[in-house]
Amino acid sequence: MIDYAMTHNTTFAEMMIREEMDLKGISRDEVRALMKQNLDVMREALEKGLSGEGVKSVTSYTGQDAVKLDRYNEHYHALSGHDMVEALKGAISTNEVNAAMGIICATPTAGSSGTIPGILFKLEKTHGLTQAQMIDFLFAAALCGKIIANNASVAGAIGGCQAEVGSASAIAAAAAVEIFGGTPEESGHAMALAISNLLGLVCDPVAGLVEIPCVMRNAIGSGNGLISADLALAGIQSRIPVDEVIEAMDRVGRNLPASLRETGLGGLAGTPTGEAIKKKIFGQTSVES
């Protein structure tokens, strides 16, 4: 993919657009209009989670934290910086809407749906991205996501959370590098760095629900994506090639025990508090009895 983009002097976004045109037999404008629908859903979800007092999940164990973070960013000098918190609150907001059974764009999954919007709408606010650039961002991320999905996995049940939030942060990092003038090789380094930073991250949803710790992990994913993009744009390279990093993620994920792959049995889900939350929501289970 990187070699093709460099040889043909094209971008990841353009490659994905052309593929969609060929696959669906529709025009460029129609393909871009379809992607704009995804962008609109992302924006609506992010804004919903930040409106009023925010949203709460059915269980009430998650929700309204995006609003807290928004207020914090207005009144305090955030330790990680005002701009970074913009990304974090967008990521949390989107995933809180998901946990509240709202409409989100699963990019690449529902559990990781806040990572890309957190980064994308932060960059719109702080760096003035146009709508056309935001749509190109999503096409570039889509092509990178396709590579990961076809050569590893984006499913927590197969590869742990590294395959969900890790992949989301990686493809967002690659897309950000492209939109801000980086080379295809630099986008590859951003992907590799982002995956490497979250390599081995387990999927351990408390009570099997996409709430704890999923919501907050999307905030970490957004931060990781932005950091990885900055590293690559600064000329910093991953010493392990991106293809090998993706392969390593796949091997690590498949070697994780089943208890750490979305079953809600190990990790945080298996703590005394995690088990107590599960009992409170679902009552005594057959496994526990």
Side-chain angles (χ1 to χ4, degrees):
M1 189 175 80
I2 293 170
D3 290 343
Y4 184 92
M6 294 176 66
T7 301
H8 294 80
N9 192 29
T10 189
T11 64
F12 293 166
E14 179 62 19
M15 291 163 64
M16 191 74 253
I17 290 169
R18 290 179 182 176
E19 184 171 320
E20 286 293 287
M21 289 170 64
D22 292 341
L23 182 67
K24 293 184 170 64
I26 57 179
S27 69
R28 175 180 298 272
D29 287 345
E30 289 172 315
V31 167
R32 293 186 68 86
L34 288 172
M35 187 60 87
K36 182 181 178 297
Q37 291 179 15
N38 295 330
L39 179 64
D40 290 343
V41 169
M42 289 181 183
R43 188 185 299 278
E44 289 166 7
L46 187 147
E47 291 177 349
K48 181 178 181 180
L50 287 167
S51 298
E53 295 301 313
V55 297
K56 295 185 74 174
S57 67
V58 175
T59 66
S60 295
Y61 278 105
T62 58
Q64 301 182 321
D65 286 333
V67 172
K68 291 178 185 175
L69 196 55
D70 189 31
R71 291 170 180 166
Y72 168 80
N73 213 26
E74 288 179 2
H75 300 293
Y76 294 92
H77 187 193
L79 304 186
S80 57
H82 183 275
D83 287 1
M84 180 63 81
V85 175
E86 285 294 317
L88 307 185
K89 75 179 188 184
I92 292 172
S93 174
T94 302
N95 263 85
E96 287 183 335
V97 169
N98 176 59
M101 308 305 250
I103 300 173
I104 52 92
C105 185
T107 49
T109 64
S112 60
S113 60
T115 299
I116 289 176
I119 292 173
L120 186 54
F121 291 105
K122 178 270 182 196
L123 292 175
E124 178 190 35
K125 185 171 184 177
T126 63
H127 288 68
L129 289 188
T130 65
Q131 178 176 280
Q133 287 176 313
M134 296 176 81
I135 290 173
D136 283 341
F137 182 108
L138 293 178
F139 277 116
L143 186 64
C144 295
K146 179 181 176 182
I147 296 297
I148 294 176
N150 286 345
N151 292 279
S153 175
V154 295
I158 295 176
C161 197
Q162 59 166 7
E164 296 208 17
V165 170
S167 294
S169 67
I171 64 179
V177 168
E178 176 167 293
I179 294 302
F180 286 95
T183 66
E185 282 187 325
E186 287 171 337
S187 285
H189 287 302
M191 280 184 72
L193 290 166
I195 293 172
S196 299
N197 293 340
L198 297 182
L199 194 66
L201 184 61
V202 303
C203 183
D204 53 347
V206 171
L209 303 174
V210 188
E211 296 190 42
I212 306 167
C214 315
V215 174
M216 296 305 160
R217 283 193 181 152
N218 276 264
I220 297 302
S222 285
N224 180 50
L226 288 167
I227 291 167
S228 299
D230 272 331
L231 291 173
L233 287 169
I236 296 171
Q237 299 182 353
S238 169
R239 298 304 180 189
I240 309 300
V242 61
D243 286 341
E244 294 181 29
V245 173
I246 292 170
E247 291 169 359
M249 182 183 75
D250 186 40
R251 289 195 300 272
V252 169
R254 293 177 188 279
N255 284 327
L256 288 173
S259 63
L260 299 177
R261 286 188 279 128
E262 208 173 329
T263 54
L265 297 175
L268 296 179
T271 62
T273 298
E275 292 287 358
I277 290 173
K278 181 179 179 182
K279 287 181 180 179
K280 187 171 181 179
I281 295 172
F282 297 113
Q284 196 80 4
T285 67
S286 57
V287 172
E288 293 161 346
S289 60

